[in-house]
Amino acid sequence: MAQKAQHAILRFAKHKAGPAGALEAHHERTKEKYASNPDIDISKSKDNFHIIQPTQKYRKEIDTRIKAAGCRTRKDSTMFVDTLITASPEFFTGRSKKEVQAYFTEAVAFMEKKVGRGNIFSAVVHMDEKTPHLHLCFTPITEDGRLSAKEILGNRAKLSQWQDEFHAHMKKAFPVLKRGESALITKRKHIPTWLFKQSIDLTRQQQAIEKAVSEIGVMNAGKKRDEILEMVGPYFTRLEKHLGQMKKYQATIDYLTQENAGLREKVNDEKSIQKKMEVLTLKKENERLRRFVDSIPPEVRRVLREQQRQQRPKDHEL
């Protein structure tokens, strides 16, 4: 059997300031337990290491850099970018910790060249999950002192250029690496692990919620109905947000779950089959979740959405 191609992997996630604390807890491993991510083996967390160590809390790191640069910000500004860097699992097989360190040190050197060393406030390598990976966080401040993730990361064409340059840089030190197929060609996006976990969590809650909703139809608009709305409200908000997030990955899901005859990539190994089954399950779960939203009586949906609208200003004040 031919050896599977090994790819260098680079992905970006843009964020406002809000998630900084939660991402810091995950990246810096400040919590004792990580129930939301069973892939973390805390007995191996001692093997994690920094290439760039933050000197203060993430939020403070972000605010300090933006203030020092004199950047103008808006409510919808991207305040920092979380960069995930890794490689195909096969690339790390049999490699020593020193070789793994060399890979990520080279990756950080690439990012320093692209976004500026002064913008990067943390670069930590996780060795306590299935595949070693680097989380590198930076403020997207341009050379002339503007906060602009759009200019630094660019559109889809520029993101493809990022991938080309990253591959070329990493291949010099690690010739075994191959360039992956451009997302511009495949029109596909990587489906993040958290989306699978979020879907499972929402599906698990659905049975109790469905039972409550089924009782609404035979109830008067009294105290019990208000109690049910109070219970359904937070779930409904999470569910609608999740289904909105899913739309971004629909092309990938459709591509991976179409009939074998139509696939451009042959499913010929166990990992590919497992991945396809996971995506198929995700698709079925989310079809069920969409049906659940449709099953909620229109008058109840109106109340739930009105609650969401009333809640939004409060969220912005936080």
Side-chain angles (χ1 to χ4, degrees):
M1 183 183 292
Q3 190 175 8
K4 194 171 182 182
Q6 298 175 21
H7 304 290
I9 296 169
L10 169 71
R11 298 190 185 111
F12 301 110
K14 296 184 288 187
H15 296 286
K16 299 175 187 177
L23 283 172
E24 180 181 355
H26 173 78
H27 294 357
E28 306 298 327
R29 296 297 194 251
T30 59
K31 296 193 294 185
E32 291 182 8
K33 291 184 179 179
Y34 296 88
S36 63
N37 191 346
D39 293 339
I40 297 174
D41 182 350
I42 56 173
S43 69
K44 295 180 180 177
S45 295
K46 63 184 185 300
D47 296 323
N48 296 346
F49 60 92
H50 283 85
I51 297 173
I52 295 174
Q53 178 92 41
T55 58
Q56 50 194 344
K57 295 285 188 183
Y58 279 20
R59 181 63 185 267
K60 190 73 174 173
E61 294 272 15
I62 294 162
D63 291 344
T64 299
R65 282 165 173 75
I66 290 173
K67 186 177 179 181
C71 299
R72 294 175 63 184
T73 62
R74 303 187 310 270
K75 277 188 177 181
D76 61 346
S77 293
T78 292
M79 306 291 274
F80 73 105
V81 179
D82 181 20
T83 312
L84 174 70
I85 295 176
T86 184
S88 306
E90 295 79 11
F91 173 80
F92 294 108
T93 303
R95 290 190 183 272
S96 66
K97 185 173 182 180
K98 187 176 179 181
E99 289 175 309
V100 173
Q101 287 176 328
Y103 177 80
F104 290 115
T105 300
E106 199 62 51
V108 171
F110 169 80
M111 290 300 297
E112 286 181 343
K113 185 173 68 173
K114 291 288 290 182
V115 305
R117 172 64 181 86
N119 276 331
I120 302 170
F121 57 85
S122 178
V124 58
V125 177
H126 288 166
M127 302 290 287
D128 56 2
E129 295 182 61
K130 288 180 180 178
T131 303
H133 58 276
L134 166 76
H135 284 287
L136 182 147
C137 293
F138 69 91
T139 47
I141 300 172
T142 63
E143 289 183 3
D144 59 355
R146 289 175 296 109
L147 187 68
S148 179
K150 184 177 181 180
E151 182 166 321
I152 290 174
L153 297 181
N155 55 19
R156 286 178 64 83
K158 188 171 179 181
L159 284 170
S160 184
Q161 184 182 335
W162 265 91
Q163 298 291 341
D164 289 335
E165 291 178 12
F166 179 60
H167 168 71
H169 180 95
M170 299 305 291
K171 190 174 176 64
K172 287 178 185 176
F174 302 93
V176 71
L177 293 169
K178 304 289 184 186
R179 172 67 166 96
E181 191 178 8
S182 170
L184 286 174
I185 298 170
T186 64
K187 304 297 183 187
R188 290 180 281 126
K189 293 184 179 182
H190 167 74
I191 305 173
T193 303
W194 60 261
L195 201 62
F196 287 93
K197 293 172 183 173
Q198 186 171 270
S199 178
I200 291 169
D201 184 42
L202 288 165
T203 304
R204 281 176 181 164
Q205 294 179 53
Q206 189 180 337
Q207 189 173 0
I209 299 292
E210 278 185 321
K211 185 175 184 296
V213 170
S214 68
E215 292 171 356
I216 291 176
V218 295
M219 290 180 184
N220 295 322
K223 183 181 177 183
K224 187 66 179 174
R225 183 168 185 239
D226 291 340
E227 287 175 4
I228 292 171
L229 281 169
E230 189 176 342
M231 179 182 70
V232 174
Y235 175 83
F236 184 76
T237 300
R238 287 178 59 215
L239 177 56
E240 288 222 309
K241 182 179 179 182
H242 171 77
L243 293 175
Q245 290 165 332
M246 283 293 301
K247 289 178 183 177
K248 290 192 279 186
Y249 304 97
Q250 198 58 51
T252 306
I253 292 167
D254 292 343
Y255 175 83
L256 290 173
T257 56
Q258 62 186 293
E259 292 300 317
N260 283 357
L263 288 176
R264 284 176 283 168
E265 296 173 351
K266 291 183 180 179
V267 178
N268 56 7
D269 61 69
E270 192 174 324
K271 284 186 179 177
S272 295
I273 293 169
Q274 181 183 350
K275 185 69 178 177
K276 186 179 178 186
M277 292 305 295
E278 287 174 355
V279 174
L280 188 60
T281 301
L282 179 70
K283 184 176 184 178
K284 288 179 178 176
E285 283 172 349
N286 284 277
E287 285 172 352
R288 179 179 172 180
L289 290 170
R290 285 191 189 94
R291 286 197 299 272
F292 168 61
V293 172
D294 292 340
S295 73
I296 297 174
E299 66 275 14
V300 176
R301 263 183 282 167
R302 279 195 293 272
V303 173
L304 290 169
R305 289 193 172 119
E306 181 58 34
Q307 288 176 348
Q308 285 179 322
R309 281 192 290 272
Q310 291 172 0
Q311 189 66 31
R312 279 177 196 138
K314 295 178 183 177
D315 290 341
H316 290 161
E317 290 165 9
L318 295 177

